Amino acid sequence: MPQQVQAVIAPGKNEPVRVETIVIPDPGPGEAVVKIQACGVCHTDLHYKQGGINDEFPFLLGHEAAGIVESVGEGVTDVAPGDFVILNWRAVCGQCRACLRGRPWYCFDTHNAKQRMTLLDGTELSPALGIGAFAEKTLVASGQCTKVDPEVAPEVAGLLGCGVMAGIGAAINTGQVGRGDSVAVIGCGGVGDAAVAGARLAGAAKIIAVDIDDRKLETAKQMGATHTVNSRTTDPVEAIRALTDGNGADVVIEAVGRPETYEQAFYARDLAGTVVLVGVPTPDMKLELPLLDVFGRGGSLKSSWYGDCLPSRDFPMLVDLHQQGRLDLAAFVTETIGLGDIEQAFTKMHDGNVLRSVVVFR
């Protein structure tokens, strides 16, 4: 029968979030109820609260999560009650053109649970990225559950559900960073630092971190950056070129999502290098570049959505690397907090005082 649990709701645009009782229905066909153990506070949740995604309030926030499958609906065979899973917001369909061509990370028909979770009065909730995991339990499509080794800490595993995967994937999957490459990462928040870590995993010889905040640059060095550039005081394009023998970086990852920083990335890459946009722009932003420069510089201009990841392939692999000591996921966790601390966590994130606050359910 339906369950009542505590969860964090964004009731309206820019209104403070609040903890309320919500109703979780029994899982229907293809669905699963997951007991959440940990959920990271991601900037995308703040976008939802600010109305930057859409206006389908109230939102059930939270999406960067790990937990235990509690129950499953009819026809679910890929996960079972008791499985430890990371939640993902790209449950691939297996039938669309991209999936049938062997490129499921580009799936055109990803899906979520068909039933809606509600407030006590029956008001339907819009779960962030189809997950809604700032909650003791949530309802998702079973394909949004990726089984991983249960020995990994939930507060670490959950980070792969969004920001860390987006950054690592931008370097490894989208940018295809290779051994000996030079890489520049513009914007050193959680996603940018994950891109730095991904570039190091891939064997990049030179990793240049760019930001306007010296605190973030210091953290980027801990994640694997070999050089740092404060773009508040130094021209980042000139600095990146100077550090790469005048050529520019082989791969430049833009993790801010602004036209100014994208232009810096464009001109800071090698003549035939690659620009990867993983920062999320707002709908009103426009980019203007001389078309002749786009033509004359060659190379690739790519966008990276969720790090072009395939959760069933990438989540277990990255958990294994973490357990081998080759990927320090714990370094991304600045603090663990309770369900009632999320509004304060948004402020800390906005002010650049944390890499990740993680809600832990005891």
Side-chain angles (χ1 to χ4, degrees):
M1 42 186 308
Q3 303 180 66
Q4 296 182 10
V5 303
Q6 295 294 290
V8 170
I9 305 301
K13 185 174 181 179
N14 286 322
E15 293 182 28
V17 301
R18 58 180 185 241
V19 178
E20 292 201 17
T21 300
I22 68 168
V23 178
I24 309 290
D26 289 337
E31 297 176 342
V33 170
V34 178
K35 183 177 181 180
I36 303 300
Q37 293 182 310
C39 184
V41 181
C42 177
H43 206 279
T44 302
D45 292 304
L46 183 57
H47 278 320
Y48 272 102
K49 176 193 168 186
Q50 295 170 334
I53 306 294
N54 57 53
D55 60 356
E56 296 174 6
F57 291 95
F59 290 113
L60 173 57
L61 298 181
H63 60 279
E64 199 174 72
I68 303 292
V69 175
E70 181 181 85
S71 58
V72 299
E74 181 184 348
V76 174
T77 58
D78 45 353
V79 292
D83 286 342
F84 177 65
V85 297
I86 299 172
L87 298 184
N88 73 77
W89 47 272
R90 298 272 297 155
V92 301
C93 72
Q95 300 297 321
C96 71
R97 188 169 77 255
C99 287
L100 293 176
R101 295 174 71 190
R103 302 171 185 171
W105 48 90
Y106 293 139
C107 178
F108 303 131
D109 193 24
T110 58
H111 52 279
N112 303 316
K114 290 184 169 56
Q115 298 183 87
R116 286 294 191 105
M117 294 172 278
T118 69
L119 297 176
L120 287 175
D121 65 4
T123 301
E124 291 189 345
L125 296 167
S126 300
L129 291 176
I131 293 177
F134 286 152
E136 294 168 324
K137 299 177 184 180
T138 192
L139 177 77
V140 293
S142 65
Q144 293 179 271
C145 301
T146 304
K147 292 169 57 176
V148 296
D149 189 336
E151 294 301 313
V152 66
E155 59 268 29
V156 166
L159 299 182
L160 293 175
C162 189
V164 171
M165 184 69 255
I168 291 176
I172 294 177
N173 295 334
T174 313
Q176 298 183 330
V177 174
R179 293 185 298 274
D181 280 352
S182 58
V183 178
V185 178
I186 299 177
C188 296
V191 173
D193 279 347
V196 168
R200 180 172 65 175
L201 270 177
K206 191 169 289 184
I207 305 171
I208 305 163
V210 180
D211 203 282
I212 60 174
D213 188 331
D214 285 332
R215 297 172 301 170
K216 293 185 177 182
L217 292 173
E218 186 59 35
T219 302
K221 286 172 65 176
Q222 297 168 17
M223 296 293 181
T226 59
H227 300 78
T228 61
V229 176
N230 188 317
S231 55
R232 189 185 294 277
T233 57
T234 304
D235 183 329
V237 176
E238 292 304 317
I240 292 168
R241 288 189 172 280
L243 289 166
T244 53
D245 300 321
N247 298 314
D250 295 306
V251 180
V252 183
I253 299 169
E254 201 277 10
V256 181
R258 294 193 59 84
E260 310 94 291
T261 43
Y262 188 89
E263 184 173 340
Q264 290 168 354
F266 179 82
Y267 287 109
R269 66 180 177 135
D270 193 6
L271 184 62
T274 299
V275 174
V276 176
L277 175 65
V278 66
V280 182
T282 58
D284 58 303
M285 290 179 178
K286 306 291 183 183
L287 178 68
E288 185 173 332
L289 287 170
L291 190 57
L292 185 61
D293 286 358
V294 176
F295 172 77
R297 294 187 61 80
S300 301
L301 306 178
K302 298 182 175 182
S303 59
S304 183
W305 206 42
Y306 207 2
D308 288 343
C309 80
L310 183 60
S312 60
R313 174 195 67 195
D314 293 339
F315 290 2
M317 173 192 69
L318 294 174
V319 166
D320 286 346
L321 289 172
H322 169 68
Q323 292 174 317
Q324 294 168 22
R326 297 168 61 190
L327 174 61
D328 187 5
L329 293 175
F332 289 89
V333 181
T334 307
E335 62 174 0
T336 56
I337 62 174
L339 199 59
D341 302 322
I342 290 174
E343 188 68 38
Q344 185 179 12
F346 281 145
T347 300
K348 291 179 182 178
M349 178 177 62
H350 183 268
D351 294 341
N353 294 326
V354 296
L355 201 52
R356 265 302 183 269
S357 301
V358 180
V359 177
V360 174
F361 296 83
R362 304 299 181 186

PDB file of all heavy atoms in Angstrom, residues 10 44 49 52 70 80 83 92 115 180 184 191 194 236 247 250 263 287 309 314 350:
ATOM      1  N   ALA A  10      10.175  22.035  -3.290  1.00  0.00           N
ATOM      2  CA  ALA A  10      10.299  23.427  -3.727  1.00  0.00           C
ATOM      3  C   ALA A  10       8.897  23.867  -4.132  1.00  0.00           C
ATOM      4  O   ALA A  10       8.398  23.488  -5.201  1.00  0.00           O
ATOM      5  CB  ALA A  10      11.265  23.548  -4.898  1.00  0.00           C
ATOM      6  N   THR A  44      21.840  21.655 -10.115  1.00  0.00           N
ATOM      7  CA  THR A  44      20.613  21.495 -10.891  1.00  0.00           C
ATOM      8  C   THR A  44      19.380  21.610 -10.001  1.00  0.00           C
ATOM      9  O   THR A  44      18.342  22.133 -10.418  1.00  0.00           O
ATOM     10  CB  THR A  44      20.622  20.143 -11.624  1.00  0.00           C
ATOM     11  OG1 THR A  44      21.761  20.077 -12.472  1.00  0.00           O
ATOM     12  CG2 THR A  44      19.369  19.966 -12.462  1.00  0.00           C
ATOM     13  N   LYS A  49      14.619  24.992  -8.207  1.00  0.00           N
ATOM     14  CA  LYS A  49      14.026  25.886  -7.214  1.00  0.00           C
ATOM     15  C   LYS A  49      13.849  27.299  -7.773  1.00  0.00           C
ATOM     16  O   LYS A  49      12.873  27.989  -7.488  1.00  0.00           O
ATOM     17  CB  LYS A  49      14.916  25.917  -5.965  1.00  0.00           C
ATOM     18  CG  LYS A  49      14.446  26.902  -4.906  1.00  0.00           C
ATOM     19  CD  LYS A  49      15.516  27.132  -3.856  1.00  0.00           C
ATOM     20  CE  LYS A  49      15.131  28.323  -3.006  1.00  0.00           C
ATOM     21  NZ  LYS A  49      16.185  28.694  -2.053  1.00  0.00           N
ATOM     22  N   GLY A  52      14.524  27.718 -13.215  1.00  0.00           N
ATOM     23  CA  GLY A  52      15.379  27.744 -14.395  1.00  0.00           C
ATOM     24  C   GLY A  52      15.217  26.541 -15.303  1.00  0.00           C
ATOM     25  O   GLY A  52      15.743  26.542 -16.417  1.00  0.00           O
ATOM     26  N   GLU A  70      13.612  -1.278  -2.421  1.00  0.00           N
ATOM     27  CA  GLU A  70      12.686  -1.820  -1.429  1.00  0.00           C
ATOM     28  C   GLU A  70      11.660  -2.753  -2.062  1.00  0.00           C
ATOM     29  O   GLU A  70      11.347  -3.817  -1.527  1.00  0.00           O
ATOM     30  CB  GLU A  70      11.972  -0.683  -0.706  1.00  0.00           C
ATOM     31  CG  GLU A  70      11.013  -1.158   0.369  1.00  0.00           C
ATOM     32  CD  GLU A  70      10.297  -0.010   1.049  1.00  0.00           C
ATOM     33  OE1 GLU A  70       9.260   0.446   0.509  1.00  0.00           O
ATOM     34  OE2 GLU A  70      10.784   0.446   2.101  1.00  0.00           O
ATOM     35  N   ALA A  80      16.289  -6.121  -7.925  1.00  0.00           N
ATOM     36  CA  ALA A  80      15.404  -6.841  -7.002  1.00  0.00           C
ATOM     37  C   ALA A  80      15.505  -6.201  -5.626  1.00  0.00           C
ATOM     38  O   ALA A  80      16.482  -5.505  -5.320  1.00  0.00           O
ATOM     39  CB  ALA A  80      15.802  -8.315  -6.933  1.00  0.00           C
ATOM     40  N   ASP A  83      18.829  -4.859  -3.481  1.00  0.00           N
ATOM     41  CA  ASP A  83      19.964  -4.406  -4.285  1.00  0.00           C
ATOM     42  C   ASP A  83      20.374  -2.988  -3.898  1.00  0.00           C
ATOM     43  O   ASP A  83      19.523  -2.109  -3.700  1.00  0.00           O
ATOM     44  CB  ASP A  83      19.617  -4.415  -5.780  1.00  0.00           C
ATOM     45  CG  ASP A  83      19.559  -5.811  -6.366  1.00  0.00           C
ATOM     46  OD1 ASP A  83      20.107  -6.740  -5.748  1.00  0.00           O
ATOM     47  OD2 ASP A  83      18.961  -5.963  -7.456  1.00  0.00           O
ATOM     48  N   VAL A  92      17.688   4.239 -20.418  1.00  0.00           N
ATOM     49  CA  VAL A  92      17.610   4.110 -21.879  1.00  0.00           C
ATOM     50  C   VAL A  92      16.506   3.141 -22.275  1.00  0.00           C
ATOM     51  O   VAL A  92      16.182   2.199 -21.549  1.00  0.00           O
ATOM     52  CB  VAL A  92      18.967   3.683 -22.472  1.00  0.00           C
ATOM     53  CG1 VAL A  92      20.040   4.699 -22.111  1.00  0.00           C
ATOM     54  CG2 VAL A  92      19.374   2.298 -21.995  1.00  0.00           C
ATOM     55  N   GLN A 115       3.804   6.673 -12.655  1.00  0.00           N
ATOM     56  CA  GLN A 115       2.972   7.194 -11.574  1.00  0.00           C
ATOM     57  C   GLN A 115       3.612   8.442 -10.965  1.00  0.00           C
ATOM     58  O   GLN A 115       4.828   8.624 -11.040  1.00  0.00           O
ATOM     59  CB  GLN A 115       2.803   6.139 -10.477  1.00  0.00           C
ATOM     60  CG  GLN A 115       2.106   4.868 -10.916  1.00  0.00           C
ATOM     61  CD  GLN A 115       1.927   3.937  -9.735  1.00  0.00           C
ATOM     62  OE1 GLN A 115       0.942   4.026  -9.006  1.00  0.00           O
ATOM     63  NE2 GLN A 115       2.892   3.041  -9.547  1.00  0.00           N
ATOM     64  N   GLY A 180      49.023  11.447 -22.511  1.00  0.00           N
ATOM     65  CA  GLY A 180      49.928  12.471 -23.001  1.00  0.00           C
ATOM     66  C   GLY A 180      49.260  13.742 -23.472  1.00  0.00           C
ATOM     67  O   GLY A 180      49.945  14.709 -23.830  1.00  0.00           O
ATOM     68  N   ALA A 184      42.639  21.542 -20.601  1.00  0.00           N
ATOM     69  CA  ALA A 184      42.294  22.711 -19.781  1.00  0.00           C
ATOM     70  C   ALA A 184      40.848  22.571 -19.352  1.00  0.00           C
ATOM     71  O   ALA A 184      39.992  22.169 -20.150  1.00  0.00           O
ATOM     72  CB  ALA A 184      42.504  24.005 -20.550  1.00  0.00           C
ATOM     73  N   VAL A 191      31.582  19.732 -11.060  1.00  0.00           N
ATOM     74  CA  VAL A 191      31.702  19.110 -12.383  1.00  0.00           C
ATOM     75  C   VAL A 191      33.094  19.350 -12.961  1.00  0.00           C
ATOM     76  O   VAL A 191      33.719  18.443 -13.516  1.00  0.00           O
ATOM     77  CB  VAL A 191      30.611  19.639 -13.325  1.00  0.00           C
ATOM     78  CG1 VAL A 191      30.834  19.140 -14.750  1.00  0.00           C
ATOM     79  CG2 VAL A 191      29.234  19.217 -12.835  1.00  0.00           C
ATOM     80  N   ALA A 194      35.602  17.193 -11.309  1.00  0.00           N
ATOM     81  CA  ALA A 194      35.453  15.819 -11.783  1.00  0.00           C
ATOM     82  C   ALA A 194      36.090  15.659 -13.163  1.00  0.00           C
ATOM     83  O   ALA A 194      36.664  14.610 -13.467  1.00  0.00           O
ATOM     84  CB  ALA A 194      33.982  15.435 -11.825  1.00  0.00           C
ATOM     85  N   PRO A 236      43.052  33.850 -19.539  1.00  0.00           N
ATOM     86  CA  PRO A 236      43.182  32.387 -19.550  1.00  0.00           C
ATOM     87  C   PRO A 236      43.621  31.831 -20.894  1.00  0.00           C
ATOM     88  O   PRO A 236      44.326  30.820 -20.945  1.00  0.00           O
ATOM     89  CB  PRO A 236      41.778  31.909 -19.174  1.00  0.00           C
ATOM     90  CG  PRO A 236      40.877  33.026 -19.563  1.00  0.00           C
ATOM     91  CD  PRO A 236      41.660  34.276 -19.328  1.00  0.00           C
ATOM     92  N   ASN A 247      50.534  26.378 -28.442  1.00  0.00           N
ATOM     93  CA  ASN A 247      49.598  25.669 -29.316  1.00  0.00           C
ATOM     94  C   ASN A 247      48.144  25.728 -28.852  1.00  0.00           C
ATOM     95  O   ASN A 247      47.224  25.665 -29.659  1.00  0.00           O
ATOM     96  CB  ASN A 247      49.999  24.192 -29.407  1.00  0.00           C
ATOM     97  CG  ASN A 247      51.365  24.019 -30.020  1.00  0.00           C
ATOM     98  OD1 ASN A 247      51.682  24.631 -31.035  1.00  0.00           O
ATOM     99  ND2 ASN A 247      52.184  23.181 -29.397  1.00  0.00           N
ATOM    100  N   ASP A 250      44.925  20.309 -26.121  1.00  0.00           N
ATOM    101  CA  ASP A 250      44.287  19.317 -26.992  1.00  0.00           C
ATOM    102  C   ASP A 250      42.784  19.253 -26.739  1.00  0.00           C
ATOM    103  O   ASP A 250      41.991  19.124 -27.675  1.00  0.00           O
ATOM    104  CB  ASP A 250      44.890  17.929 -26.747  1.00  0.00           C
ATOM    105  CG  ASP A 250      46.358  17.861 -27.129  1.00  0.00           C
ATOM    106  OD1 ASP A 250      46.681  18.219 -28.281  1.00  0.00           O
ATOM    107  OD2 ASP A 250      47.169  17.456 -26.289  1.00  0.00           O
ATOM    108  N   GLU A 263      33.786  31.087 -25.257  1.00  0.00           N
ATOM    109  CA  GLU A 263      34.690  31.729 -26.228  1.00  0.00           C
ATOM    110  C   GLU A 263      36.142  31.548 -25.804  1.00  0.00           C
ATOM    111  O   GLU A 263      37.019  31.309 -26.646  1.00  0.00           O
ATOM    112  CB  GLU A 263      34.347  33.221 -26.347  1.00  0.00           C
ATOM    113  CG  GLU A 263      35.172  33.934 -27.413  1.00  0.00           C
ATOM    114  CD  GLU A 263      34.712  35.361 -27.645  1.00  0.00           C
ATOM    115  OE1 GLU A 263      33.570  35.693 -27.282  1.00  0.00           O
ATOM    116  OE2 GLU A 263      35.507  36.143 -28.210  1.00  0.00           O
ATOM    117  N   LEU A 287      25.546  32.843 -28.268  1.00  0.00           N
ATOM    118  CA  LEU A 287      26.969  32.757 -28.565  1.00  0.00           C
ATOM    119  C   LEU A 287      27.233  33.345 -29.941  1.00  0.00           C
ATOM    120  O   LEU A 287      26.539  33.018 -30.901  1.00  0.00           O
ATOM    121  CB  LEU A 287      27.429  31.298 -28.518  1.00  0.00           C
ATOM    122  CG  LEU A 287      28.895  31.040 -28.851  1.00  0.00           C
ATOM    123  CD1 LEU A 287      29.800  31.617 -27.776  1.00  0.00           C
ATOM    124  CD2 LEU A 287      29.142  29.537 -29.006  1.00  0.00           C
ATOM    125  N   CYS A 309      27.380   9.297 -20.666  1.00  0.00           N
ATOM    126  CA  CYS A 309      27.599   8.046 -19.931  1.00  0.00           C
ATOM    127  C   CYS A 309      26.539   7.008 -20.259  1.00  0.00           C
ATOM    128  O   CYS A 309      25.438   7.321 -20.692  1.00  0.00           O
ATOM    129  CB  CYS A 309      27.624   8.309 -18.421  1.00  0.00           C
ATOM    130  SG  CYS A 309      25.986   8.474 -17.645  1.00  0.00           S
ATOM    131  N   ASP A 314      29.301   2.575 -16.857  1.00  0.00           N
ATOM    132  CA  ASP A 314      30.229   3.517 -16.220  1.00  0.00           C
ATOM    133  C   ASP A 314      30.163   3.529 -14.699  1.00  0.00           C
ATOM    134  O   ASP A 314      31.193   3.691 -14.037  1.00  0.00           O
ATOM    135  CB  ASP A 314      29.974   4.924 -16.761  1.00  0.00           C
ATOM    136  CG  ASP A 314      30.327   5.054 -18.233  1.00  0.00           C
ATOM    137  OD1 ASP A 314      31.116   4.229 -18.723  1.00  0.00           O
ATOM    138  OD2 ASP A 314      29.810   5.974 -18.896  1.00  0.00           O
ATOM    139  N   HIS A 350      26.155  28.150  -3.578  1.00  0.00           N
ATOM    140  CA  HIS A 350      26.141  29.378  -4.372  1.00  0.00           C
ATOM    141  C   HIS A 350      27.342  30.255  -4.064  1.00  0.00           C
ATOM    142  O   HIS A 350      27.913  30.910  -4.950  1.00  0.00           O
ATOM    143  CB  HIS A 350      24.843  30.138  -4.107  1.00  0.00           C
ATOM    144  CG  HIS A 350      24.688  31.378  -4.931  1.00  0.00           C
ATOM    145  ND1 HIS A 350      25.101  32.623  -4.489  1.00  0.00           N
ATOM    146  CD2 HIS A 350      24.180  31.580  -6.180  1.00  0.00           C
ATOM    147  CE1 HIS A 350      24.849  33.514  -5.411  1.00  0.00           C
ATOM    148  NE2 HIS A 350      24.293  32.911  -6.447  1.00  0.00           N
TER     149      HIS A 350
END
